[in-house]
Amino acid sequence: MENKPFSRLSFLPRLFFTIADHAQGLRVLHAIDAVRAEQAGQRACPSLNAPGNRAVPGPAGISPGRGDDTRADTGENVQPGAGPAVGAGDHPPASALFGFLSPPGAGAAMGAVWWLALMRALQESTALPFVHLLDCGASPAHALLALSHGQRLAVLAGDDRQGIAARAAFAAEGGTLAAHSPPSFDLIAGVHATSSLVAYIRHGYCE
């Protein structure tokens, strides 16, 4: 987990995971399910979209993405695949449990279309609401291109005139263009111990 200067935005969850493919995202979802089941004292708390699965109410007070949120996660009226993947739309709801972060510079290297497709695929696999940020490196042009595709949460380094204009464009669309990526658990670097991922979800740090 890399620590970078970051002014936390009040609407963002505490936990972020840097991923580059669907398998890494599913690993996060399974780990979160495991922690929720453990804390609920249940053998299973399925939220993954598998045949026959139904959304199971989470235990009161459990919100893996927000360490200071003590509201009950009831799961009412939530079906697998219905959890909003916020980043392509308005600001995240307070119920967002965690967030996905793209690899550094992915907005320029792989593009917003790739990232949004990955987020949609993960949204179809869980009933848990999450947010996602696309890192556009130092390219205002790619940040604006991402905005045109519907990406409302992104990261752009630098504060030159083009960057300031890009931030204004995001704000005008109800989005946010952060100056730094939030601290995150980096699955791209390779996590060999599942316990490290679970510990981060529980406590917000890597074992």
Side-chain angles (χ1 to χ4, degrees), residues 97-137:
L97 301 180
F98 60 95
F100 287 117
L101 176 66
S102 78
M110 290 173 277
V113 173
W114 161 80
W115 179 247
L116 289 170
L118 175 57
M119 293 300 102
R120 282 193 296 269
L122 290 172
Q123 181 182 2
E124 291 173 357
S125 299
T126 184
L128 300 177
F130 62 86
V131 303
H132 58 86
L133 278 79
L134 176 63
D135 190 320
C136 296

Side-chain angles (χ1 to χ4, degrees), residues 41-128:
Q42 302 171 350
R43 295 189 61 183
C45 182
S47 70
L48 293 182
N49 190 10
N53 274 3
R54 297 180 59 191
V56 176
I62 293 182
S63 182
R66 290 177 177 271
D68 57 351
D69 194 338
T70 58
R71 288 168 300 177
D73 174 18
T74 64
E76 293 179 358
N77 301 319
V78 176
Q79 296 298 323
V86 183
D90 297 329
H91 280 324
S95 59
L97 301 180
F98 60 95
F100 287 117
L101 176 66
S102 78
M110 290 173 277
V113 173
W114 161 80
W115 179 247
L116 289 170
L118 175 57
M119 293 300 102
R120 282 193 296 269
L122 290 172
Q123 181 182 2
E124 291 173 357
S125 299
T126 184
L128 300 177

